């Protein structure tokens, strides 16, 4: 069974537990270098979120409302974000440090709905594209310095 992990996250997303399926998946982010500690940068009121690995400094675009999910990928609504807005580094509200573990939850309508709603009407989509047309992504942060947890730091509906 394929999980609804978008193409751009597949090499960084580690599924967690055994309750994942084609409609929902929970997991954590891990850099390709193996590190799980990140700086978190956001722009456009968290409509764009990127991670920077604290070990190798690789940048990972976690979410961009103009490119990802139903509205960004399927509807191609790039005007959802202002690309001139600067990024801001997020800091822990408890200890003011900026090193986080990142957990992600993604929900999808599933492959069958995507095929019925998109592939059947638009030949620019393929059956495999369903993973990029997800309906919601939620990001939780865990401060690596003080242990403070910010569950659902960002919840972004994409439909």
């Amino acid at each position: 069974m394929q999980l609804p992990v978008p193409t751009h996250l597949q090499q960084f997303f580690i599924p967690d537990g055994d309750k994942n399926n084609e409609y929902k998946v929970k997991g954590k982010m891990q850099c390709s270098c193996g590190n799980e500690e990140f700086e978190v940068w956001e722009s456009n009121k968290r409509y764009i979120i990127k991670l920077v690995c604290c070990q190798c400094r690789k940048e990972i675009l976690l979410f961009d409302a103009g490119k990802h999910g139903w509205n960004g990928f399927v509807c191609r609504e790039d005007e959802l974000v202002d690309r001139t807005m600067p990024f801001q580094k997020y800091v822990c509200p408890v200890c003011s440090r900026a090193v986080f573990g990142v957990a992600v939850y993604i929900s999808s309508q599933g492959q069958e709905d995507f095929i019925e709603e998109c592939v059947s009407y638009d030949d620019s989509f393929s059956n495999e594209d369903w993973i990029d047309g997800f309906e919601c992504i939620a990001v939780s942060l865990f401060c690596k310095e003080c242990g403070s947890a910010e569950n659902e730091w960002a919840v972004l509906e994409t439909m």
Side-chain angles (χ1 to χ4, degrees):
M1 166 185 41
Q2 192 174 9
L3 300 175
V5 179
T7 306
H8 74 284
L9 295 181
Q10 287 183 356
Q11 73 180 71
F12 309 110
F13 185 87
I14 309 298
D16 201 16
D18 59 358
K19 299 201 186 306
N20 299 312
N21 56 47
E22 92 174 80
Y23 303 101
K24 62 181 180 165
V25 62
K26 290 181 181 180
K28 64 182 175 180
M29 297 299 292
Q30 181 181 66
C31 183
S32 51
C33 75
N35 186 49
E36 296 177 5
E37 295 182 345
F38 299 96
E39 291 176 354
V40 179
W41 293 79
E42 58 96 6
S43 177
N44 285 263
K45 299 179 181 175
R46 300 184 182 159
Y47 272 42
I48 304 176
I49 302 168
K50 70 179 178 179
L51 308 177
V52 177
C53 176
C54 291
Q55 184 170 308
C56 73
R57 306 304 297 166
K58 180 181 190 81
E59 286 190 14
I60 301 166
L61 182 59
L62 179 61
F63 180 74
D64 182 328
K67 297 178 181 179
H68 303 135
W70 190 268
N71 290 337
F73 178 73
V74 175
C75 300
R76 297 174 177 98
E77 294 182 2
D78 193 44
E79 72 278 355
L80 291 171
V81 295
D82 177 357
R83 304 241 175 250
T84 64
M85 286 186 69
F87 279 88
Q88 298 174 341
K89 185 193 298 189
Y90 185 72
V91 296
C92 176
V94 176
C95 71
S96 299
R97 301 292 179 137
V99 179
F100 297 94
V102 179
V104 177
Y105 169 83
I106 300 166
S107 64
S108 169
Q109 289 188 311
Q111 186 173 18
E112 190 175 315
D113 276 1
F114 182 85
I115 291 169
E116 185 178 300
E117 293 180 32
C118 296
V119 178
S120 299
Y121 299 102
D122 185 340
D123 61 6
S124 70
F125 294 111
S126 71
N127 292 0
E128 292 77 32
D129 287 336
W130 74 275
I131 57 176
D132 291 316
F134 57 91
E135 66 183 356
C136 181
I137 184 168
V139 180
S140 296
L141 304 179
F142 306 93
C143 180
K144 292 293 192 168
E145 187 67 31
C146 72
S148 175
E150 292 195 63
N151 294 315
E152 297 185 346
W153 172 78
V155 178
L156 302 151
E157 299 286 335
T158 69
M159 297 184 93

